[in-house]
């Protein structure tokens, strides 16, 4: 007679669905009772649920593996077409669709064209071009939002054209999902998954396709940067040959070009370019960023030239002039070359030479500015990619239930984060209603990275996950530093310490509520944890730390009574019950009015002279009531 153990064997060998019906059929054939058949049916259903769960986890592992493989492809990018083909093929495999393909926007023609297809057989489909807003892909490219349809030919949401419908019909596509490929806020293309039969696309499939689209966008952007680098290196080499052929001064420029090229090739930084430049031209150099802050300085040993100042009307005007003219400019004894990439202002080189510069020397300075621009672009790209990865992890921790804690812990570990250690969550924002903006988000990422934490913008605010166990102190630090950076009051709420991946979401909610409470209470520009908000914090906190609230508000008085055997607690209760009347309180306590006064003076010494202020008095009355309800503080249950 078949038994439930057969289902374990079926699960162990990953049997096909049809095989799970055999134990029930065998039992029915053997004449098993109805109760026995019901038991087997229940066992079968449980086994099928387990099989479905295992299948979902296997699929998730395949998806993560594909994303990691794609990230590896990007890290070793040599052939952008090969990477894009691999991404499109992974879309087809992971989403189990008939066709996957990628379209890119054509800035010159103003439409979208096919770049890569996988599984396509129709030439008309492979050569399609989509006008803006036409078809599903054109709409995705125009709006920057994902779209999906279970039956494209009959879906009235999309603007159908003869060419698109003909190409889709030749390919036999019915169900289509398209997501945008973004670089910053710009949509550069669309990644598609399509089936030749009707099927819906779930939210998880949209998320997976969006992740692969993000990788594809990074691949294209990296290829662009590599191309720009190669172009710059080619220009450097050509300039070297011209310089070598003409004059001794040009020989010096060639040496400078060689050194800066070597800096790029060996993965050097702006500091290396600055050191090489002053080694060739002799003088003092200051490299500033787009906001006029000093990035690095360099000077020739024993140079009589002083380092330029990073700010000043002369420097600001000269940088603007250099940017407009596209070459270095002279202002007094300074030479200024703007560091730009297209229309993007990245900073400037401010150089005070020991000797007057020739035209060839000025070209060296300008070429150094170009190389500096390339290096700063590389640095920004790497920082943006890392910030995206760290921000995605924090978003996963605070935005939704953590379905696979082990996977999240693994992602955190790769970033050097131990999620079992204590963490503080901080939410920062202001009361303007306009949100903090990109500058605050950039500051938060830098602040968190320096402390081996995470940060991300969220709903006009910024969220930070920082190591530590002091939410109030951390929130105050964030509020103070961010307010100084932005030049206006910023408020911060803290929560924690949180341990484990599952605790972060709750801590963020508490920190966000604490931030809103601070703004509502008129405490904008400050930082605090729930414990600092008195009874408000007690209501906001998820953990309802009543003992901590009582101890924080009335602890010194309670401890004093316990050590000295005094009656300060009872005196306070009588005082509040008498509405602040000393005579009525003395009558209730059966003591002299002077005794009540002396006891209240002692309370002021223990709690501070402002203990009778409205907010503190309200907290103190609530703490006294909770203390009486819960008994002695040391014996209070949690």
């Amino acid at each position: 007679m078949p038994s439930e153990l057969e289902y374990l064997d079926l699960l162990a060998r990953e049997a096909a669905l049809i095989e799970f019906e055999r134990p029930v059929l065998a039992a029915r054939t053997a004449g098993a009772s109805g109760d026995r058949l019901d038991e087997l049916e229940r066992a079968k259903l449980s086994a099928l649920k387990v099989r479905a769960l295992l299948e979902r986890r296997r699929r998730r592992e395949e998806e993560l593996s594909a994303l990691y493989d794609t990230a590896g492809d990007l890290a070793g990018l040599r052939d952008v077409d090969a990477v894009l083909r691999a991404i499109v093929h992974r879309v087809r495999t992971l989403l189990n669709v008939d066709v996957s393909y990628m379209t890119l926007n054509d800035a010159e023609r103003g439409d979208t064209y096919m770049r890569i297809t996988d599984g396509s057989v129709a030439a008309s489909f492979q050569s399609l071009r989509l006008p803006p807003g036409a078809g599903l892909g054109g709409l995705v490219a125009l709006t920057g939002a994902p779209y999906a349809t279970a039956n494209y030919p009959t879906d009235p949401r999309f603007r159908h054209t003869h060419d698109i419908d003909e190409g889709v019909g030749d390919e036999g596509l019915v169900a289509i999902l398209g997501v945008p490929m973004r670089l910053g806020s710009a949509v550069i293309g669309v990644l598609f998954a399509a089936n030749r039969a009707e099927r819906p696309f779930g939210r998880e499939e949209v998320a997976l396709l969006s992740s692969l689209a993000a990788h594809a966008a990074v691949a294209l952007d990296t290829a662009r940067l590599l191309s720009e680098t190669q172009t710059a290196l080619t220009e450097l080499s050509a300039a070297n040959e011209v310089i070598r052929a003409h004059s001794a001064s040009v020989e010096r420029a060639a040496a400078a070009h060689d050194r800066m090229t070597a800096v790029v090739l060996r993965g050097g930084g702006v500091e290396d370019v600055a050191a090489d430049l002053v080694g060739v031209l002799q003088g003092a150099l200051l490299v500033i960023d787009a906001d006029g802050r000093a990035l690095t300085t360099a000077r020739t040993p024993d140079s009589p030239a002083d380092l330029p100042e990073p700010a000043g009307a002369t420097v600001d005007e000269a940088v603007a002039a250099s940017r407009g003219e596209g070459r270095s400019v002279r202002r007094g004894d300074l030479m200024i070359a703007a560091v730009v990439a297209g229309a993007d202002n990245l900073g400037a080189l401010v150089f005070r030479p020991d000797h007057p510069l020739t035209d060839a020397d000025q070209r060296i300075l300008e070429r150094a500015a170009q190389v500096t621009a390339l290096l700063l672009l590389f640095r920004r790209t790497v920082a943006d990619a890392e910030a995206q990865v760290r921000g995605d992890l924090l978003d996963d921790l605070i935005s939704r239930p953590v379905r696979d804690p082990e996977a999240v812990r693994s992602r955190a570990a790769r970033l050097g984060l131990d999620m079992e250690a204590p963490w503080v969550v901080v939410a920062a924002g202001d009361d303007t209603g306009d949100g903090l903006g990109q500058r605050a988000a950039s500051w938060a990422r830098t602040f968190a990275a320096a402390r081996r934490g995470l940060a991300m913008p969220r709903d006009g605010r910024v969220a930070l996950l920082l190591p530590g166990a002091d939410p109030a102190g951390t929130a105050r630090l964030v509020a103070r530093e961010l307010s100084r950076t932005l030049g206006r009051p910023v408020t911060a709420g803290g929560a924690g310490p949180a341990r484990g991946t599952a605790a972060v979401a709750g801590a963020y909610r508490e920190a966000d509520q604490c931030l809103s409470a601070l703004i509502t209470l008129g405490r904008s520009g400050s930082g605090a944890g729930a414990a600092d908000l008195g009874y408000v914090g007690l209501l906001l906190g998820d953990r309802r730390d009543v003992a901590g609230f009582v101890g924080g508000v009335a602890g010194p008085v309670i401890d004093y009574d316990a050590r000295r055997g005094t009656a300060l607690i009872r005196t306070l209760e009588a005082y509040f019950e008498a509405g602040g009347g000393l005579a009525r309180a003395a009558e209730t306590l059966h003591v002299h009015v002077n005794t009540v006064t002396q006891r209240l003076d002692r309370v002021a010494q223990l709690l501070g002279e402002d203990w009778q202020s409205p907010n503190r008095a309200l907290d103190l009355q609530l703490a006294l009531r909770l203390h009486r309800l819960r008994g002695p503080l040391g014996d209070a249950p949690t």
Side-chain angles (χ1 to χ4, degrees):
M1 181 72 67
S3 69
E4 289 83 351
L5 294 177
E6 291 187 37
Y7 288 108
L8 294 178
D9 179 63
L10 293 173
L11 289 171
R13 60 187 178 85
E14 300 181 352
L17 281 174
I18 190 64
E19 295 189 52
F20 284 77
E21 298 292 340
R22 291 178 182 173
V24 177
L25 294 175
R28 186 175 289 114
T29 302
S33 65
D35 291 340
R36 180 57 182 160
L37 291 174
D38 289 340
E39 291 175 357
L40 286 174
E41 282 287 349
R42 288 192 294 272
K44 180 191 74 175
L45 293 175
S46 298
L48 289 176
K49 290 179 181 178
V50 172
R51 183 183 185 276
L53 176 61
L54 293 174
E55 178 63 22
R56 285 197 300 272
R57 290 189 174 179
R58 181 194 62 77
R59 181 173 178 82
R60 180 57 175 165
E61 289 174 357
E62 291 177 353
E63 293 172 354
L64 290 174
S65 177
L67 291 176
Y68 294 152
D69 290 343
T70 303
D73 292 342
L74 295 178
L77 181 64
R78 293 295 181 271
D79 182 353
V80 66
D81 284 336
V83 174
L84 295 179
R85 282 193 294 271
I87 290 173
V88 172
H89 180 70
R90 285 170 185 148
V91 169
R92 184 184 175 198
T93 303
L94 292 175
L95 273 68
N96 193 24
V97 293
D98 298 321
V99 180
S100 56
Y101 53 101
M102 176 190 298
T103 63
L104 294 181
N105 293 349
D106 189 331
E108 294 182 0
R109 297 182 54 170
D111 61 0
T112 302
Y113 66 96
M114 287 285 184
R115 174 65 187 272
I116 303 287
T117 64
D118 191 90
S120 172
V121 296
S124 60
F125 178 77
Q126 297 169 11
S127 61
L128 268 180
R129 299 189 73 97
L130 285 67
L136 186 147
L139 189 58
V140 173
L142 181 66
T143 65
Y147 279 91
T149 176
N151 193 323
Y152 175 81
T154 62
D155 197 326
R157 293 179 299 162
F158 308 105
R159 179 160 62 88
H160 294 265
T161 68
H162 172 75
D163 290 342
I164 296 175
D165 287 352
E166 183 180 52
V168 171
D170 291 345
E171 193 63 58
L173 299 183
V174 177
I176 304 177
L177 166 63
V179 299
M181 294 163 48
R182 293 180 176 276
L183 279 181
S185 60
V187 177
I188 64 171
V190 182
L191 188 59
F192 296 87
N195 220 42
R196 294 190 174 97
E198 281 195 22
R199 62 167 282 187
F201 290 98
R203 182 178 300 174
E204 293 181 355
E205 293 175 310
V206 175
L208 174 59
L209 192 60
S210 297
S211 297
L212 290 168
H215 282 98
V218 170
L220 289 167
D221 192 45
T222 304
R224 177 184 62 82
L225 292 175
L226 289 174
S227 176
E228 292 178 358
T229 302
Q230 186 59 49
T231 300
L233 294 176
T234 302
E235 292 176 357
L236 283 171
S237 298
N240 285 340
E241 293 299 324
V242 173
I243 291 171
R244 289 179 189 276
H246 286 85
S247 65
S249 62
V250 175
E251 288 290 337
R252 184 171 56 176
H257 293 169
D258 288 339
R259 293 170 70 168
M260 285 185 285
T261 300
V263 168
V264 175
L265 292 177
R266 71 172 182 262
V270 175
E271 300 81 2
D272 301 303
V273 173
D276 283 348
L277 183 63
V278 299
V280 172
L281 297 185
Q282 306 294 309
L285 175 70
L286 171 70
V287 183
I288 60 176
D289 65 11
D291 296 322
R293 296 187 295 263
L295 291 176
T296 189
T297 60
R299 62 186 301 167
T300 307
D302 302 325
S303 171
D306 296 328
L307 285 169
E309 293 294 328
T314 300
V315 172
D316 293 342
E317 180 275 328
V319 171
S322 175
R323 190 165 59 246
E325 297 175 15
R327 58 173 300 167
S328 59
V329 298
R330 188 189 306 273
R331 293 294 183 270
D333 61 346
L334 295 178
M335 291 296 302
I336 295 96
V339 177
V340 297
D344 197 357
N345 175 31
L346 302 176
L349 304 184
V350 184
F351 184 57
R352 178 175 280 125
D354 292 343
H355 310 285
L357 299 184
T358 65
D359 289 344
D361 294 334
Q362 292 187 42
R363 301 295 85 75
I364 294 174
L365 181 64
E366 292 161 5
R367 191 54 49 87
Q370 293 176 0
V371 174
T372 301
L374 287 173
L375 295 176
L376 290 177
L377 282 176
F378 277 127
R379 180 188 297 180
R380 177 188 294 180
T381 301
V382 172
D384 288 347
E386 182 177 356
Q388 181 66 41
V389 171
R390 300 175 77 89
D392 287 347
L393 174 59
L394 181 55
D395 187 49
D396 287 344
L397 287 169
I398 67 179
S399 298
R400 58 186 69 85
V402 178
R403 298 180 180 177
D404 191 346
E406 187 57 38
V408 174
R409 277 193 293 271
S410 177
R411 288 168 59 195
R414 284 193 294 275
L415 295 174
L417 310 179
D418 179 10
M419 295 310 300
E420 300 308 317
W423 294 89
V424 169
V425 180
V426 176
D430 61 16
D431 56 359
T432 63
D434 298 328
L436 291 183
Q438 185 58 40
R439 186 178 178 188
S442 177
W443 176 90
R445 293 190 185 100
T446 303
F447 182 86
R451 290 159 178 77
R452 300 187 67 81
L454 304 174
M456 61 172 287
R458 185 174 177 85
D459 300 330
R461 299 178 172 183
V462 292
L464 301 96
L465 181 69
L466 302 168
D470 180 11
T474 305
R476 285 192 289 270
L477 175 63
V478 169
R480 182 174 64 252
E481 296 299 325
L482 188 49
S483 296
R484 181 182 297 119
T485 299
L486 299 183
R488 54 189 173 90
V490 176
T491 312
R499 295 177 183 269
T501 57
V504 176
Y508 173 76
R509 288 193 298 271
E510 182 176 330
D512 194 59
Q513 291 172 345
C514 183
L515 166 58
S516 298
L518 285 170
I519 294 175
T520 301
L521 294 173
R523 294 174 58 179
S524 295
S526 65
D532 298 327
L533 299 181
Y535 74 94
V536 175
L538 184 64
L539 296 175
L540 291 177
D542 290 340
R543 290 164 288 185
R544 301 290 191 270
D545 185 9
V546 175
F549 170 74
V550 173
V553 175
V557 179
I558 296 172
D559 293 342
Y560 190 92
D561 275 358
R563 292 195 311 269
R564 304 290 184 91
T566 53
L568 297 184
I569 291 295
R570 181 69 190 102
T571 301
L572 280 172
E573 291 175 337
Y575 176 75
F576 284 128
E577 290 171 0
L582 296 177
R584 288 179 56 192
E587 181 180 348
T588 300
L589 297 169
H590 305 292
V591 297
H592 195 274
V593 171
N594 290 342
T595 301
V596 174
T597 301
Q598 293 170 0
R599 291 178 180 177
L600 295 181
D601 288 342
R602 176 64 64 184
V603 169
Q605 294 175 10
L606 294 172
L607 300 182
E609 295 296 335
D610 64 338
W611 69 272
Q612 297 184 73
S613 63
N615 288 338
R616 292 200 64 190
L618 178 59
D619 286 350
L620 186 56
Q621 291 180 69
L622 178 58
L624 292 176
R625 290 179 181 270
L626 292 173
H627 174 63
R628 178 168 294 279
L629 289 173
R630 295 167 59 85
L633 191 60
D635 300 332
T638 59

